[in-house]
Amino acid sequence: MVISSNRTHIMEMETDSSSYTGDEQEEEYVSYIGMVTAAYSEDSDDNFADLISLEDPHCLSADFLLSPDHMSLIGTELTSPLSEFVSLHLQVLMNILQTSYDKALSLQCQLAQAFCREFQEQKDDNWGMKAMETICRDLRRVAWTAQSYEDPMLHAEENSPSCMERAADVIMGLFRVCAGDSRVQEPESRRWGMLMLVNQLFKVYFRINRLQLCKPLIRAIETQPIRDRFPIDQMVTYKYYVGRKAMFDSELREAEQSLMYAFENSSPYPASINKQKILIYLVPVKMFLGYLPTEEGLQKYDVSEFWDVSVSIRNGSVRDFDSALKRHEHMFITNGIYFILEKLRMLLFRNLFRKVCLLHDTNQIPITLFETALKWSGYGETDVEEVQCLLANLIYDGQIRGYISHQHQVIVVAKSNPFPKLSASNIDV
């Protein structure tokens, strides 16, 4: 999974230990402690990561793993820092099961910080990359759950960081450890963990609408000598968020390049889900650049909501455009693209005015014809001054080559290529 995960999380589970006998519960505890010890001592990063994950099946046995007798034995049966990792992990589980999400967040922060200290002390290898990813992913999810339950006015009054901001601060601490690794040997460098941490931070910053904090992270990745050798799944996630940010920053060509990379390289399973998420942002970017989607392509990835918008833009119909936005308003707002799509209205005007020019068959067209066309398309009441304003904006953006003659109340368009390709225009979204 690249952009989203369908694995069951502990906060979505219901634990049930009622069917276990006392001996079975003891065996389950001994088995868990044995697996954690073996994974840690044998440097089995993947296994250890699973055993401290809030998605692992052992979380279903949390009721008896968290018994007072078992919790008291952790400090004697495990050595430091493993005992601290396991104890904090099980305490996180306990508080989640008790719906004490803020306390669970604090403990998960402590777990991440404890892991960071141990990770930083490693001199000869970078063992623990997978465990670090697991801890940070769970931290972000616990933070989001905790924030959804807290009073939003609490932090505003106390000027204290929100749950997601607390999580971001801890993840940033790990990022600094990875970015500050000056070892020359690339295979052992902690810098290989930078992109994964950046992706986790992207997810936090997009959630809390702090996109300005993404810029230094992008710069840090782009200046890395290993930037082209990060794992492809991490690069897909990275390009997805870089493309989204570029779209909101009106950097359409950068957005297209990044989102196309993510779309073409997204994981084969579940390809439709990942590609659907990417297309929600790639389709509007493509439309701004003059590439309208096909109905078959939209249906293939279940993003047919864009088809009505596309047809209305192609036909220059304001009435149909407004209707399409209204009909699919919930989807567009939920994904944060409603106002981006609203700005496609200027592309609609360009296409409408182009039809007027083609019908008039001359390069000097009375402005009143554009006024009539606007009223016909469902724009509503308008006047010559408003039409002139629309035409002036289209000329300024490079979508029309020409000028307005106010004296004669006509627009004079270029005889050659009066409506250049949108990819050559200076479109500002």
Side-chain angles (χ1 to χ4, degrees):
M1 304 294 292
V2 176
I3 297 171
S4 63
S5 174
N6 288 336
R7 294 180 65 187
T8 305
H9 198 270
I10 180 61
M11 286 175 282
E12 301 166 352
M13 292 179 176
E14 292 184 3
T15 61
D16 182 13
S17 60
S18 59
S19 60
Y20 288 83
T21 66
D23 289 342
E24 288 174 331
Q25 292 182 9
E26 186 66 25
E27 289 176 5
E28 191 76 17
Y29 170 77
V30 171
S31 174
Y32 175 72
I33 294 299
M35 288 189 294
V36 170
T37 303
Y40 190 77
S41 61
E42 296 170 5
D43 290 349
S44 179
D45 194 10
D46 288 348
N47 290 341
F48 181 67
D50 288 339
L51 292 167
I52 58 171
S53 169
L54 297 179
E55 295 179 335
D56 192 69
H58 77 268
C59 296
L60 292 170
S61 308
D63 283 356
F64 52 84
L65 285 176
L66 298 170
S67 69
D69 291 341
H70 292 155
M71 291 294 290
S72 63
L73 290 173
I74 292 174
T76 58
E77 295 182 351
L78 300 175
T79 58
S80 181
L82 182 57
S83 59
E84 185 179 8
F85 296 159
V86 173
S87 176
L88 286 169
H89 169 64
L90 294 180
Q91 288 181 69
V92 171
L93 288 179
M94 178 189 300
N95 282 275
I96 288 175
L97 293 174
Q98 296 171 352
T99 65
S100 300
Y101 296 120
D102 190 72
K103 180 63 175 176
L105 172 59
S106 297
L107 291 164
Q108 188 71 19
C109 286
Q110 292 178 43
L111 173 57
Q113 291 165 338
F115 182 85
C116 182
R117 291 191 295 270
E118 176 65 14
F119 189 63
Q120 192 169 12
E121 290 177 3
Q122 296 180 30
K123 303 300 181 183
D124 301 323
D125 59 35
N126 57 9
W127 180 86
M129 289 287 188
K130 187 66 176 178
M132 179 172 66
E133 179 179 4
T134 297
I135 291 170
C136 291
R137 183 188 64 233
D138 286 342
L139 173 59
R140 173 177 56 81
R141 292 175 174 174
V142 172
W144 179 247
T145 302
Q147 184 156 314
S148 65
Y149 279 87
E150 72 177 357
D151 182 358
M153 296 302 297
L154 179 64
H155 298 290
E157 294 173 356
E158 299 180 356
N159 197 27
S160 58
S162 67
C163 294
M164 294 295 277
E165 289 171 333
R166 288 161 58 191
D169 288 343
V170 174
I171 298 173
M172 181 59 76
L174 280 161
F175 174 77
R176 294 191 184 100
V177 170
C178 292
D181 189 359
S182 58
R183 290 178 294 185
V184 177
Q185 298 84 356
E186 281 189 0
E188 293 80 30
S189 175
R190 288 190 287 263
R191 290 175 179 265
W192 290 107
M194 289 176 62
L195 188 59
M196 177 275 296
L197 294 169
V198 164
N199 288 338
Q200 294 297 326
L201 288 168
F202 278 170
K203 292 177 182 181
V204 173
Y205 294 151
F206 272 78
R207 277 278 194 178
I208 61 177
N209 196 26
R210 299 286 296 276
L211 303 192
Q212 72 276 13
L213 298 178
C214 297
K215 188 174 181 179
L217 298 176
I218 296 172
R219 185 164 55 246
I221 294 299
E222 295 301 323
T223 56
Q224 288 300 312
I226 60 174
R227 64 183 179 277
D228 296 325
R229 287 176 283 155
F230 283 112
I232 190 66
D233 60 331
Q234 294 182 16
M235 282 299 298
V236 167
T237 304
Y238 172 74
K239 289 292 188 179
Y240 168 71
Y241 283 103
V242 169
R244 287 180 60 183
K245 183 181 184 301
M247 181 186 73
F248 292 124
D249 290 343
S250 300
E251 298 171 356
L252 296 178
R253 289 160 189 81
E254 169 64 23
E256 180 192 26
Q257 181 181 8
S258 296
L259 290 170
M260 279 299 298
Y261 177 96
F263 183 80
E264 293 171 351
N265 293 278
S266 61
S267 60
Y269 178 82
S272 59
I273 295 177
N274 286 340
K275 290 183 182 294
Q276 179 193 56
K277 289 178 177 292
I278 297 165
L279 283 174
I280 287 172
Y281 303 97
L282 180 57
V283 169
V285 169
K286 284 286 193 180
M287 286 198 286
F288 270 110
L289 295 175
Y291 303 101
L292 298 180
T294 64
E295 187 173 15
E296 294 76 17
L298 295 176
Q299 288 177 345
K300 179 179 179 180
Y301 297 106
D302 195 21
V303 285
S304 298
E305 293 89 346
F306 291 108
W307 177 243
D308 293 339
V309 177
S310 175
V311 171
S312 65
I313 291 174
R314 181 180 286 108
N315 295 336
S317 174
V318 177
R319 186 181 298 102
D320 292 344
F321 183 78
D322 290 338
S323 176
L325 290 184
K326 183 65 176 178
R327 189 180 309 117
H328 307 296
E329 181 180 50
H330 177 74
M331 182 271 199
F332 296 150
I333 291 177
T334 300
N335 290 286
I337 58 173
Y338 183 87
F339 290 110
I340 295 291
L341 293 174
E342 262 285 354
K343 294 180 180 180
L344 283 168
R345 195 179 296 270
M346 292 304 294
L347 175 57
L348 183 153
F349 294 146
R350 171 197 180 273
N351 290 343
L352 176 63
F353 293 164
R354 181 173 180 271
K355 292 178 184 292
V356 172
C357 290
L358 290 173
L359 289 172
H360 199 63
D361 196 28
T362 179
N363 71 324
Q364 297 186 26
I365 305 99
I367 293 177
T368 53
L369 289 182
F370 296 108
E371 181 182 2
T372 301
L374 279 172
K375 292 178 179 178
W376 169 85
S377 72
Y379 187 79
E381 290 301 319
T382 185
D383 53 35
V384 172
E385 287 76 15
E386 188 171 2
V387 176
Q388 289 178 346
C389 181
L390 292 175
L391 289 168
N393 283 326
L394 290 170
I395 293 171
Y396 177 79
D397 288 339
Q399 298 187 52
I400 296 178
R401 295 177 62 234
Y403 63 91
I404 299 173
S405 172
H406 295 282
Q407 180 180 358
H408 300 96
Q409 288 295 291
V410 298
I411 177 173
V412 181
V413 297
K415 293 183 178 180
S416 173
N417 193 24
F419 293 86
K421 290 184 177 180
L422 292 175
S423 55
S425 305
N426 301 314
I427 304 173
D428 183 10
V429 300

